Amino acid sequence: MNLIFEKSIENHRCTILPKTDIADYKIDDSYLRKTKVKLPEIAEVDLVRHYTNLSKKTFGVDNGFYPLGSCTMKYNPKVNDSCAALRGFSEISPNSDEEDVQGALEVIWESDRSLCEITGMDKMVFQPGAGAHAEFTSLLMIKKYFHTKGDLNRTKIIIPDSAHGTNPASASMNGFNVISIESKNGIIDLEKLDQVLDESVAALMLTNPNTLGLYDKGILEITKKVHACGALCYYDGANLNAIMGICKPGAMGFDCIHLNLHKTFSTPHGGGGPGVGALGCKSFLMDFLPTPIVIKENESFKFYKPVNSINKVTAFYGNFLVLVRALSYLKHLGSNGIREASENAVLNANYMKAKLSKTFNEPFSGYCMHEFVLDLSSFKEGYGIRALDVCKRMLDFKMHPPTMYFPLIVHEALMFEPTETEGKHTLDKAIEVLEKIVNEIKSGNLDLTQAPFTTEYSRMDEVKAARNPIIRYGN
Ligand SMILES: *Cc1c(COP(=O)(O)O)cnc(C)c1O
């Protein structure tokens, strides 16, 4: 497909500008361009066709099944976008005075209250633009908390080996030493935890249910042990889809937390667009929160800077419209609906897991939470077909592949997260497709190392695309 620049035809236009009623103004020659600006010149119909055709070449949640694990690619109801597009929200300036944007401040306040209710935290702020950004910000707070107490020797962060890669990255970027502990049957090994806990530990970072979709039933004992040595517990709640309205990280013993509003709370993601890593904490950490936070005083809302604030971590207030979508989602579902969403997410994952266990090897049997992992190493050993090849073949059936090769502790891993928004007919279709692919592997009639066969491009050089992307046209 040609680029918009290549479709440019001299003097083709989209708009007819009205005649100006301002007198001509002669700009000094020294300010004028010497060469013509390189913008595409195109008629409206060609412009519309260009972008419509382009949009058909990509694949998103609105196109079909998208079970990317640890990502929560749920369908986002369009009503939440409509709320975010309301002029009162989308056209306000971040420089407005507090009195003029009380409604916007109320959105921040109400989101804070609702998400605190869901997580068992005391205060929630929304400046960080991603989950990783919120992790980094929380660790800054934890560091300042200990320094303020005069406790300067806590230099370690404990992270289980099933963790999302952003956890060790955030800890390391904050100057902490990362202590990785090996999991046992997919969850925390209490003996291993005991071995590394001492007064040099600042915090444990944990996801529960973890990236294997397993709920750690020893959670109360884990957080108790961490607290006993004076360290804090951080909850990576990027995917809260399994437990919303059912149990609270605050009650599990966590001191601070982040939620990805762009995963669980209805902002579309995947293209690197605006997100919010909502950061929550218990009251004893509130003084360290990034500024500004919103407080309510005599029925009105105002910005406030916490005493020991780590200061600003983003411009203005973060991605405010993401918050409008989240609040709209929460209000539409209500507390019963939120719980039902989680129950259905867990039900859908277990339905798929149970059906697929007949065809695939499960590294962890029994019930899962919102996601589950399959181990395809027997196909690699028996037929030379890797998890990657199965993912590529799924594209021919117009399905987005699951997450692959993650978590690292399962070889040839495929990690599915169907989410609550898929109907049984879609799950059945996906199961049928996966069974069909396994039959293809066993029959050997089709060389799956060459799949996909029906897409515009087949196998791309993904390493090159990631390391040396060409994202600029021409020079
Ligand atoms: C997605 C995810 C993150 C990182 O969130 P970003 O918004 O991509 O930075 C962290 N932890 C877990 C468990 C995740 O799934």
Side-chain angles (χ1 to χ4, degrees):
M1 186 170 160
N2 284 340
L3 300 174
I4 189 91
F5 291 96
E6 291 160 345
K7 290 180 179 166
S8 176
I9 300 171
E10 212 176 332
N11 295 327
H12 279 211
R13 290 285 181 276
C14 278
T15 48
I16 302 169
L17 293 176
K19 222 176 153 41
T20 174
D21 55 0
I22 300 169
D24 275 354
Y25 178 77
K26 177 91 182 84
I27 299 169
D28 192 290
D29 265 358
S30 63
Y31 294 121
L32 292 179
R33 284 178 191 283
K34 301 289 177 277
T35 51
K36 223 175 145 190
V37 59
K38 270 194 196 162
L39 288 176
E41 297 179 80
I42 195 157
E44 180 173 318
V45 62
D46 298 322
L47 182 73
V48 169
R49 283 177 188 157
H50 177 76
Y51 284 107
T52 304
N53 288 329
L54 207 57
S55 77
K56 286 181 185 163
K57 287 185 190 295
T58 186
F59 188 92
V61 178
D62 291 352
N63 295 95
F65 192 42
Y66 206 130
L68 200 65
S70 200
C71 276
T72 312
M73 303 299 285
K74 63 169 88 179
Y75 171 75
N76 300 295
K78 301 297 171 240
V79 65
N80 303 325
D81 289 331
S82 307
C83 287
L86 290 172
R87 289 183 58 194
F89 293 132
S90 63
E91 294 186 8
I92 48 176
S93 161
N95 279 319
S96 308
D97 291 333
E98 285 167 9
E99 313 82 84
D100 297 334
V101 286
Q102 283 289 302
L105 267 62
E106 189 169 358
V107 167
I108 301 178
W109 166 262
E110 281 241 7
S111 306
D112 159 21
R113 290 301 88 210
S114 305
L115 293 170
C116 279
E117 173 66 28
I118 289 173
T119 56
M121 293 290 127
D122 294 320
K123 189 70 186 170
M124 189 75 76
V125 300
F126 307 101
Q127 291 99 321
H133 191 192
E135 290 168 23
F136 181 80
T137 307
S138 304
L139 291 175
L140 273 178
M141 289 169 59
I142 290 176
K143 201 181 213 176
K144 189 152 187 198
Y145 165 76
F146 283 119
H147 283 201
T148 308
K149 287 205 315 178
D151 189 347
L152 305 176
N153 298 323
R154 296 189 182 266
T155 53
K156 295 179 190 159
I157 302 284
I158 302 176
I159 303 174
D161 60 1
S162 62
H164 196 273
T166 49
N167 292 186
S170 304
S172 164
M173 279 184 71
N174 255 300
F176 286 108
N177 294 325
V178 174
I179 309 296
S180 172
I181 53 170
E182 214 178 297
S183 306
K184 187 172 164 188
N185 301 324
I187 57 173
I188 290 273
D189 180 343
L190 288 175
E191 276 177 28
K192 290 252 160 61
L193 181 64
D194 280 334
Q195 285 163 14
V196 293
L197 276 177
D198 60 32
E199 293 190 347
S200 66
V201 174
L204 165 80
M205 294 180 91
L206 195 66
T207 305
N208 192 33
N210 65 17
T211 58
L212 295 159
L214 303 176
Y215 186 87
D216 200 322
K217 291 183 182 149
I219 191 61
L220 289 177
E221 199 172 342
I222 293 168
T223 53
K224 204 167 137 195
K225 279 178 187 290
V226 174
H227 286 148
C229 80
L232 301 184
C233 297
Y234 180 81
Y235 184 86
D236 174 350
N239 308 280
L240 207 70
N241 233 30
I243 64 163
M244 293 185 295
I246 299 171
C247 66
K248 306 183 183 189
M252 295 179 204
F254 287 93
D255 305 297
C256 53
I257 171 174
H258 86 261
L259 308 175
N260 280 11
L261 300 191
H262 48 289
K263 280 179 184 168
T264 312
F265 296 97
S266 204
T267 279
H269 73 113
V276 169
L279 190 171
C281 68
K282 293 265 178 75
S283 55
F284 73 95
L285 284 170
M286 255 155 70
D287 267 355
F288 301 92
L289 283 167
T291 184
I293 63 178
V294 171
I295 56 168
K296 190 176 181 185
E297 238 177 45
N298 307 327
E299 296 312 302
S300 66
F301 303 93
K302 57 184 237 182
F303 289 121
Y304 169 79
K305 181 178 177 187
V307 206
N308 281 317
S309 173
I310 54 155
N311 288 317
K312 285 190 85 68
V313 294
T314 193
F316 297 109
Y317 319 106
N319 293 318
F320 172 68
L321 295 177
V322 173
L323 207 52
V324 177
R325 286 190 188 85
L327 189 62
S328 163
Y329 176 76
L330 290 168
K331 295 274 182 203
H332 273 100
L333 289 185
S335 52
N336 291 337
I338 288 288
R339 184 187 173 104
E340 204 180 323
S342 281
E343 287 168 349
N344 286 337
V346 174
L347 180 64
N348 278 356
N350 277 289
Y351 178 76
M352 266 194 95
K353 182 177 189 280
K355 291 263 175 174
L356 290 174
S357 68
K358 298 189 189 90
T359 325
F360 291 87
N361 189 13
E362 297 178 311
F364 306 100
S365 54
Y367 291 118
C368 63
M369 295 299 283
H370 60 302
E371 60 193 359
F372 64 93
V373 179
L374 301 176
D375 175 351
L376 274 69
S377 43
S378 66
F379 296 122
K380 186 178 171 191
E381 284 150 26
Y383 306 92
I385 298 298
R386 299 172 301 156
L388 172 80
D389 303 318
V390 172
C391 285
K392 294 291 183 196
R393 181 68 175 135
M394 281 179 80
L395 298 174
D396 286 326
F397 297 95
K398 307 264 178 294
M399 281 182 187
H400 196 283
T403 295
M404 57 181 182
Y405 301 103
F406 180 80
L408 306 175
I409 51 180
V410 175
H411 297 297
E412 294 298 318
L414 284 190
M415 180 203 229
F416 288 87
E417 182 183 359
T419 83
E420 75 280 10
T421 55
E422 298 303 334
K424 181 171 173 293
H425 56 287
T426 305
L427 303 182
D428 284 335
K429 175 82 189 148
I431 292 160
E432 192 188 308
V433 163
L434 286 158
E435 286 170 348
K436 188 173 168 147
I437 296 174
V438 169
N439 285 338
E440 288 173 350
I441 295 174
K442 292 185 174 162
S443 76
N445 291 338
L446 203 59
D447 182 5
L448 292 193
T449 63
Q450 300 306 309
F453 304 106
T454 57
T455 54
E456 195 160 314
Y457 295 97
S458 186
R459 300 262 168 147
M460 313 244 226
D461 186 338
E462 286 165 16
V463 174
K464 195 167 177 196
R467 301 280 177 226
N468 304 307
I470 302 168
I471 49 177
R472 201 166 59 155
Y473 174 62
N475 298 312

